[in-house]
Amino acid sequence: MASIYFKGSKSAPRWFVRFVDSDGSTRSKRVRVETRKEAMQIARHEEAAATLRSYGIGVKAPPAMSMRELLEKFTLSLDNRSYRDDETRIRLHVAPYWGAFTIDQVTTGAIIRWLDQMRGAAKIAPGTQRHALAMLSRCFSWALARELATTNPCRNVPSSDRPTATPAKDDQEQWISDDETPVRIMERLPAPFDLVFYVCFTSGCRVSEALGLRLGDLDEIASGSIRIAHSGDGFLKEDRRGIGKTKLVPIGADAVDVLGPLLTERRAAGAGPDDLVFAGSDGKLIPRYVLAHQWDRVRKELGITMSWHRATRTSACSRWASRGVPIDQIASALGHASTAVTARSYQKWRRKTFDPRMTASFTAPAPEGGNVTRIGSARPAAAPEAAIPSENAGSIRPTATAGEHAVA
């Protein structure tokens, strides 16, 4: 029950109100009024507000956090496999635009206007725009789970307004099919990026997997294989539970001669089995954007339009397939869960030679000694010479066999 009291003198009272707060505790606070009636009104108001707060009604929302502060908190929380790439996307494409906003100012309409602005400026590729939107959505989902935001406005963006990456042309120019281009690329790439290209091109591993190679992973290099155990300084993409999965991939027969001098140099410098093969000048992992900068320079010099991924992983897969390597072995080398993933992701080649029995003429007889199996029938029909002649022998329409006439 709300009550009031005063301290001081009757001529100059200092009124205080007492009420039960929403957590059940009794609170007192001074109110700057002159009469008993005014103090009692405030006491009843405070008690009523406390009752509403106890039911979650009329709770005053905390001041809206700025997006710059939220993005900084979210960036510090990143610990996924590709957190370096995520940090770069936030720093380059998300924070510069949204940093001056508060959380409650980020609405679905504001996000659509942001996407329209990026699309109209055409300064970054649609794929990068899609990644920027994904990072903003992940940031809001993270904030939502921690009660820093009340909704994720990115989820309400219509699919028609979402950026989509333009698929590359599915032709022979999207992978390296000759032997001269890889040599020219390695001649122009500075060390150690030339050797990183060699590893990716001959083994089909991803760039993060090559940059994350440790010296101990190359112990079996003489036998034609290397171990992939890291993606950068994290787990493999296939290792979704982070339990330390590894995989073996093929490597070129000349890998000992190509990589030997670097391995000897690293071991002479005191590097152990757990140290990086391709370390930066500071001895740490080389960021992917440093390699991307070198690749952009070289491909422009050589007039190459494909990305690093297509020039290495896709080219390795396509070269193996064009040489007749079974798809199950390709899937195993790439680390795919099944051959269906390989067929769906790397259809950059087209089979142009088929079994002669598949390209035979429509009216050609069956191969000598073979039975003809009619389409839709589980049993082989009689050999062609056992067929009963028909008065329509000149037609290409198949005739009935002796067995079929007997049944009839």
Side-chain angles (χ1 to χ4, degrees):
M1 189 70 178
S3 60
I4 61 172
Y5 64 93
F6 74 94
K7 291 181 179 180
S9 63
K10 292 184 179 180
S11 59
R14 291 183 297 169
W15 291 102
F16 291 80
V17 298
R18 183 184 291 116
F19 60 94
V20 179
D21 206 349
S22 58
D23 57 359
S25 61
T26 302
R27 290 190 56 191
S28 297
K29 72 176 185 178
R30 183 184 176 185
V31 293
R32 299 185 182 276
V33 295
E34 296 181 359
T35 65
R36 181 185 183 92
K37 182 178 180 180
E38 292 173 337
M40 198 62 198
Q41 288 176 344
I42 294 176
R44 294 192 183 102
H45 174 77
E46 291 290 347
E47 189 172 60
T51 303
L52 291 176
R53 286 197 298 271
S54 66
Y55 290 97
I57 304 173
V59 179
K60 185 178 179 181
M65 180 186 298
S66 69
M67 282 299 298
R68 188 173 304 279
E69 182 180 357
L70 177 63
L71 289 170
E72 290 176 355
K73 291 179 178 291
F74 173 64
T75 302
L76 292 175
S77 71
L78 293 174
D79 59 355
N80 54 311
R81 182 180 58 87
S82 55
Y83 74 94
R84 294 179 184 271
D85 296 334
D86 294 341
E87 290 177 352
T88 303
R89 293 180 182 119
I90 293 174
R91 176 172 52 85
L92 295 180
H93 307 301
V94 181
Y97 184 89
W98 294 108
F101 286 70
T102 58
I103 293 179
D104 56 349
Q105 291 176 334
V106 183
T107 61
T108 301
I111 294 174
I112 293 177
R113 289 191 293 273
W114 172 53
L115 296 175
D116 291 340
Q117 180 178 326
M118 287 195 297
R119 192 178 298 111
K123 292 183 179 180
I124 60 176
T128 305
Q129 298 175 23
R130 180 169 55 87
H131 282 303
L133 176 62
M135 290 310 305
L136 184 63
S137 179
R138 285 175 55 188
C139 178
F140 268 98
S141 296
W142 179 86
L144 191 62
R146 289 156 182 80
E147 297 183 351
L148 299 175
T150 58
T151 183
N152 184 350
C154 298
R155 295 178 179 174
N156 297 325
V157 177
S159 57
S160 58
D161 291 312
R162 295 176 179 268
T164 52
T166 304
K169 294 181 179 179
D170 191 11
D171 53 30
Q172 293 293 332
E173 296 182 358
Q174 293 303 315
W175 60 280
I176 300 176
S177 56
D178 60 277
D179 296 330
E180 293 77 16
T181 301
V183 176
R184 291 190 296 154
I185 291 174
M186 291 183 62
E187 290 175 347
R188 285 168 171 77
L189 281 172
F193 302 112
D194 53 345
L195 300 183
V196 176
F197 178 86
Y198 171 83
V199 171
C200 292
F201 182 78
T202 57
S203 69
C205 68
R206 303 179 180 91
V207 59
S208 296
E209 296 171 348
L211 294 175
L213 281 173
R214 271 56 171 178
L215 289 173
D217 296 333
L218 274 62
D219 289 343
E220 302 296 328
I221 190 173
S223 63
S225 66
I226 59 176
R227 180 180 61 187
I228 303 295
H230 301 85
S231 179
D233 51 8
F235 298 106
L236 298 182
K237 181 178 181 180
E238 296 84 2
D239 191 3
R240 300 187 182 278
R241 297 183 179 179
I243 59 177
K245 285 185 178 180
T246 63
K247 61 182 178 181
L248 293 177
V249 299
I251 193 70
D254 55 349
V256 175
D257 298 330
V258 176
L259 300 176
L262 174 64
L263 300 180
T264 302
E265 178 184 347
R266 293 286 292 139
R267 293 189 177 103
D274 295 330
D275 291 321
L276 293 168
V277 175
F278 306 109
S281 57
D282 56 356
K284 297 181 180 179
L285 181 72
I286 300 176
R288 286 180 55 181
Y289 67 85
V290 177
L291 183 144
H293 173 73
Q294 296 293 340
W295 172 250
D296 286 340
R297 178 184 59 80
V298 170
R299 70 180 184 85
K300 290 177 181 177
E301 292 179 0
L302 298 178
I304 298 174
T305 59
M306 67 188 74
S307 64
W308 173 280
H309 185 89
R310 289 187 175 275
T312 55
R313 188 172 171 86
T314 299
S315 295
C317 178
S318 301
R319 286 165 68 90
W320 295 334
S322 65
R323 294 172 179 176
V325 178
I327 192 171
D328 61 322
Q329 294 189 30
I330 297 177
S332 176
L334 297 178
H336 289 165
S338 67
T339 57
V341 177
T342 309
R344 182 177 67 250
S345 303
Y346 292 94
Q347 293 181 352
K348 305 300 180 289
W349 64 89
R350 291 290 183 268
R351 176 182 288 276
K352 296 183 178 180
T353 58
F354 296 89
D355 192 290
R357 289 169 293 184
M358 300 174 67
T359 58
S361 172
F362 184 81
T363 58
E368 183 178 356
N371 292 332
V372 177
T373 302
R374 298 172 58 228
I375 297 177
S377 174
R379 62 180 179 82
E385 58 269 16
I388 298 178
S390 171
E391 56 185 20
N392 297 323
S395 173
I396 63 173
R397 183 176 180 179
T399 57
T401 62
E404 291 171 336
H405 277 286
V407 173

